Amino acid sequence: MRNFLFLSGSILLLFSGCSKQLEGSSFEEILEDSPSLTGKAEYLDSPYVTAGDRVYMVGNQDGSFTELGWHITGEMSGIWDHPIKLMDGFELEIGVDDTVISLNQASEFRNFPYANRHEFELSSLGLTAKRTQFVPDGIEGIVVQFTFTNTESIAKKLNLGFRGYADLRPTWLGERTNMIDEADSGTFNTIEGSMTFKDAGNPWFVRFGSDLEVSSEGFMASKYKGKGQGGFLNYQLELGANETSQIHFYIAGSYTSEVNLNKTYRAIKENSVGMLQQKKERYKKLAFQSKLTVPDKEIEQAFEWVKYNCDWLVRSVPEIGTGIGAGIPDYPWWFGVDSEYALQGYMAIGQREAVYNTIKLLDSVSEAVNGNGRIIHEMSTNGAVFNPGNINETPQFATLIRKIYQWNGDKEFLRKYFPTVKKGLNWLMTEKDADGNMFPDGFGMMEIHGLDSEMIDVAAYTQKAFRDASFIADALGDYSLAQQYFEKSEQLQKRINEKFWSAEFGSYADFIGTDEQALHLIEDAIVRADTLDKPWAVEELKQTRETIKNNPSPNPRPFVLHHNWVVNTPMEVGLATEDQALIALETAERYVNPFGMFVTGIDRDESAGSDDGSFKGSKIFSYTGAVMTLPTGVQIVAENNYGRPDKALNYLKRMTRSFGYALPGSLYEVSPDYGMMTQAWNIYGYAVPVVEQFFGIRPDAAEKKITIEPRMPSTWGEASLKNVAIADNEVSVYFSEGSSAQQIKVTQLKKDWLIELRLPLSEDSQLSSDSENTEITEDTESGIYIVRSTGKSVELLYKK
């Protein structure tokens, strides 16, 4: 029996305009001049997100809601108000005469930075329909607008039926904080024409209604799994010939009280247009900061939208804190390492509030849970920590703190977090280094069973951490500790280059371990490679196995088995020697496909020689065989570190091929269309290489100094990066390649800051400037020009 019900004899509501608050304005007018991207027809059954810091919605681009996700099986879609879910979804049915159609088969999906829209062709009804939705900032609610257009010259009477499916349930790990899901039940508010649902055992609520008068209503069983309940609200409206009308639905939630629920509901109903306008203006500011213009328009567009993606991932639960989630739909909560990569990019694009909030959250929870400087790995939105921290996350926190200080120059920021850094480094060297060789033991980025000995990424990030901690200690006046940390970083650099390097493979080893550990891992890897039909990998692994057996060692030694992407972290952090780096970077090129770096090199396939391909994920979520944006981003940074910007650009282009591949305006976590539909660490692979390496912006905010040492790709003849926020200053950099010389211009807001440009010096090069307060010196020993300016603008003419 159809749950879509109409009562005979009900009053026909004549409707020819928007609700009172929308007079003279509409969602479409606000969105009209905003950037937008249209999705592909073949991906209409794949997910999108309507993002917000309190509430977000995940559905399919065709307008339907299916049960998505693996973290909580089938529950990661729908509408979430962390730490609870509100609804599994909703749908609207339109009836004209005897024909009824559900709006769940959109012909087009359009994504805006702060909203999205589904378009429906309803030719059998003589109509078109649009569904537009957005989540207001800081609000536990979402607003959905339906726009109907009568495409015929006769009036039509429409029967509309809204079906909402409440599912008030806890987030992942809810049971650890006594969040026990019970059955939901609903009530109808006859005065306001809305429905409210409550979980039987908790103060969890969701309410929905519209700006039209309800003609009939009722409740039904949910069609989704779980303990939710459905409810329907029916309406009638008349559309004149060729007329357009709208109806708005308001969905509010609360995990604290019905009073707060109703307050939110009325607020979004009374001021949804104003809220949309405010969100639009805020997103304009996001676009304004670190605004990139380059010849590669695909990269330029991706860079702009990845900035929007960063804002999509901010997750605020006032009782716990605010920070960036790792990805949507399955990682909407907080992670250590994901943030440690991503926040470096967030800072470079000026999204500083998210940076400070996330660091504060990670630090406070890590202290509460661990108390020894160890940084947590993963925490759900109810405050339950799943993993107290993989080993690499602790040293990477030190690097993050130094990086943020370079951008903000705030010594109080350093003083606040340096105690955690010191405790963490001590924990690494005492509790996690059993043999005292300075290489901490335990899991790094590669969560492969058995890979928990001395990992290359843990060693590389630890070396970088001691170097960065030395800088922090020096900035805070603890010169003795600074020297100790510096000496440890030097020792680690030497030891890594000696102990982890494999000349045979032209690569750093995956790990240092015993023969027994290696042989066990080889057996597992052979099964993996054979299952994936990688005969070359099986053969290589068998040869390695025989070499180990024929040449046993009683002591731990380095092994190259999986060719995991983490073998490139020594180049990412810059500890590899020039010779080692160039060999390893060339080796890494064997483990790529058109979209970037394989997570595990033995998974590589024939797509390396093709410009097409799509990762074929398993029915059970798995990263086996994956190419991911993070390894590719790391490789971009690594190539730039060793003076190869064209190679770096090649990887950036590969990664950008995934942009909009499945979801317009976003890059998937696994390239090009698997895993999370948007991922926080994507910004690391865009902002760090573009801002800090191609344009060469190296801030020293504490000294009011900005060093600019560009490493521009050879094909970027015209390029600019504007409005890069550094403390209370902003800098813009412009490059223009002429037939005989390059013009370089740098502007800043403040005139009491020093700008120092560094450019290559050769026998044939010339550099000149007519700018005031500017001096040029030649450092022949280093082979560079040094340009120093304290003006608001400096212009150079540079002949290479």
Side-chain angles (χ1 to χ4, degrees), residues 546-565:
E546 292 309 305
T547 299
I548 295 171
K549 289 181 176 180
N550 293 333
N551 301 277
S553 171
N555 301 315
R557 52 177 168 168
F559 294 99
V560 178
L561 300 184
H562 299 91
H563 301 284
N564 291 319
W565 68 271

Side-chain angles (χ1 to χ4, degrees), residues 498-502 508-513 555-560:
E498 290 176 352
K499 302 296 184 181
F500 273 94
W501 179 252
S502 171
Y508 287 89
D510 293 297
F511 67 99
I512 291 175
N555 301 315
R557 52 177 168 168
F559 294 99
V560 178

Side-chain angles (χ1 to χ4, degrees), residues 520-696:
H520 179 75
L521 286 165
I522 286 173
E523 295 305 322
D524 290 344
I526 288 173
V527 172
R528 174 184 180 136
D530 189 52
T531 302
L532 293 173
D533 192 24
K534 312 296 180 189
W536 71 269
V538 172
E539 181 61 28
E540 180 183 287
L541 289 162
K542 287 181 176 178
Q543 290 177 3
T544 301
R545 180 178 63 188
E546 292 309 305
T547 299
I548 295 171
K549 289 181 176 180
N550 293 333
N551 301 277
S553 171
N555 301 315
R557 52 177 168 168
F559 294 99
V560 178
L561 300 184
H562 299 91
H563 301 284
N564 291 319
W565 68 271
V566 293
V567 301
N568 300 309
T569 54
M571 285 75 73
E572 178 203 8
V573 302
L575 69 83
T577 68
E578 183 90 8
D579 290 343
Q580 288 171 319
L582 295 180
I583 292 170
L585 292 171
E586 291 297 321
T587 299
E589 292 183 15
R590 304 175 193 169
Y591 305 106
V592 303
N593 82 353
F595 300 100
M597 293 293 301
F598 279 94
V599 174
T600 297
I602 60 173
D603 295 346
R604 73 176 185 188
D605 56 26
E606 297 76 12
S607 65
S610 167
D611 284 340
D612 299 307
S614 175
F615 176 70
K616 304 300 182 185
S618 60
K619 291 182 179 180
I620 300 174
F621 189 85
S622 170
Y623 290 112
T624 301
V627 167
M628 292 178 67
T629 52
L630 178 63
T632 307
V634 163
Q635 206 65 14
I636 298 167
V637 172
E639 291 283 6
N640 271 326
N641 280 340
Y642 292 88
R644 298 169 20 133
D646 285 347
K647 293 280 190 179
L649 180 62
N650 178 273
Y651 282 109
L652 184 57
K653 287 182 175 180
R654 289 175 186 269
M655 187 164 67
T656 302
R657 285 176 177 160
S658 293
F659 175 71
Y661 196 98
L663 175 62
S666 186
L667 291 94
Y668 267 64
E669 169 200 22
V670 178
S671 304
D673 58 1
Y674 189 69
M676 305 308 102
M677 67 178 122
T678 191
Q679 185 80 12
W681 60 36
N682 292 345
I683 191 62
Y684 178 77
Y686 279 91
V688 171
V690 169
V691 177
E692 299 181 18
Q693 294 181 316
F694 291 158
F695 283 86

Side-chain angles (χ1 to χ4, degrees), residues 180-237:
I180 307 302
D181 186 23
E182 296 193 22
D184 304 333
S185 60
T187 59
F188 177 65
N189 183 322
T190 57
I191 297 175
E192 297 191 55
S194 64
M195 285 185 165
T196 297
F197 295 81
K198 181 186 182 299
D199 180 276
N202 301 278
W204 304 340
F205 300 89
V206 64
R207 179 180 177 184
F208 57 77
S210 80
D211 52 5
L212 287 185
E213 183 178 335
V214 176
S215 60
S216 62
E217 43 73 26
F219 298 95
M220 71 276 191
S222 178
K223 66 178 183 178
Y224 297 93
K225 297 176 184 176
K227 299 179 180 180
Q229 185 185 29
F232 60 86
L233 299 172
N234 293 333
Y235 308 89
Q236 296 179 329
L237 71 90

Side-chain angles (χ1 to χ4, degrees), residues 4 34 39 73 112 143 211 319 431 467 493 542 644 688:
F4 182 72
S34 293
T73 304
F112 297 84
V143 184
D211 52 5
E319 297 81 3
E431 296 186 38
R467 182 65 56 92
Q493 182 173 2
K542 287 181 176 178
R644 298 169 20 133
V688 171

Side-chain angles (χ1 to χ4, degrees), residues 15-37:
F15 181 72
S16 59
C18 305
S19 62
K20 183 176 181 180
Q21 64 136 341
L22 296 174
E23 289 179 0
S25 182
S26 71
F27 288 8
E28 293 194 12
E29 290 171 347
I30 293 172
L31 293 170
E32 186 176 11
D33 61 348
S34 293
S36 65
L37 295 170

